[in-house]
Amino acid sequence: MSDWSQGSGDPRAGENAAWSGHEGAQAFAAVDAATDWLLGYPFVFRELSRRLGGGGVLVDYGCGPGTVADHAARRLGARVLGADTSPEMLALARGSGTAVAEYHLVRDGRAAGLADGCADAVMCNHVLASLPGEDAVLAVFTEVRRLLRPGAPFVLLVTDPDCTGLDYASLRIGGPGEAHGPGDQLTVRLRRTDGSWQEVRNHAWPVALIPALLERTGFRDVVQHRPTVEEALALADPQLPRGHDWEAERRRPPLVVTTALAA
């Protein structure tokens, strides 16, 4: 995940300048993301495993430094192709010795070198938080639809912007009582692997709006799921649940997984 500007998918937005350039890419790679690894990525992988056979082509759209794409490649046995707007993120990914087959730069909203219908599945993790307007969201969904063969799944992971003011293990979304409309800016605190915290400016996309936006861009059979800690105990790394008390995650799980099929 990196910077995506309104309507184009180019890394020029500025709101998430914390992730821009080489230093920003290094900072993003140092985010702890414990809550995502408990309640997010294992459920994304589960949805993909239900629909993606071994050797299938999976595109990670907004792959950032490639960490999640690498886990997907090793766990699913898929041929994973990463795509991102940030050359610096892709440089980190290429230099990390991942199992990902290829990385592609997104230019002018299009993943360079990836043909129409090349993917048996696409995952997209936390990219919507970088998109400042509805046109930008529609542009990303349209590009994802271009990459997918008909009937192939799209799995989208987002943070619910309504889960404000709670201290999750690795993030805090806005402040208590805050309300945000579509595309509004909100401040998110992210925990780093060294225990420090970093504030970034994200954009709020209410999860209830996502199905209609997907349907407008050529998707059908949209299903949303909010994973719980109890469900995660059977999916996540066994060491992870013992690392935190997960009190806030139990009270109000902050992540939503949306699955849709390319029409």
Side-chain angles (χ1 to χ4, degrees), residues 50-243:
R50 290 171 171 171
R51 299 169 172 86
L52 184 66
V57 175
L58 168 64
V59 173
D60 183 2
Y61 195 83
C63 66
T67 305
V68 180
D70 180 59
H71 276 75
R74 298 178 190 278
R75 179 165 176 172
L76 302 173
R79 181 170 181 259
V80 178
L81 312 177
D84 201 276
T85 61
S86 167
E88 293 82 7
M89 292 281 192
L90 294 180
L92 276 183
R94 291 188 181 104
S96 63
T98 70
V100 177
E102 301 169 13
Y103 287 102
H104 297 261
L105 183 65
V106 176
R107 295 192 188 96
D108 299 323
R110 190 178 180 93
L114 294 183
D116 296 1
C118 68
D120 298 304
V122 172
M123 67 175 176
C124 187
N125 301 303
H126 296 307
V127 168
L128 263 60
S130 297
L131 303 180
E134 184 176 289
D135 287 348
V137 176
L138 294 173
V140 167
F141 287 171
T142 298
E143 173 63 0
V144 169
R145 175 62 190 89
R146 180 188 73 82
L147 295 172
L148 285 166
R149 60 172 177 76
F154 175 34
V155 184
L156 175 73
L157 177 65
V158 300
T159 302
D160 184 350
D162 289 338
C163 293
T164 57
L166 293 175
D167 290 320
Y168 296 103
S170 60
L171 78 157
R172 182 184 178 100
I173 307 158
E178 289 184 3
H180 304 91
D184 287 353
Q185 287 195 2
L186 76 163
T187 299
V188 176
R189 296 180 71 234
L190 299 175
R191 190 177 188 273
R192 296 174 173 174
T193 53
D194 64 2
S196 63
W197 292 82
Q198 177 171 356
E199 287 192 353
V200 296
R201 298 292 289 175
N202 279 355
H203 293 276
W205 289 104
V207 296
L209 296 181
I210 293 173
L213 297 175
L214 286 167
E215 290 167 1
R216 286 172 59 184
T217 49
F219 290 92
R220 58 177 174 84
D221 298 342
V222 181
V223 176
Q224 293 187 302
H225 176 60
R226 188 184 298 270
T228 67
V229 173
E230 287 69 27
E231 291 178 284
L233 296 178
L235 288 179
D237 182 337
Q239 300 300 318
L240 189 60
R242 293 192 286 269

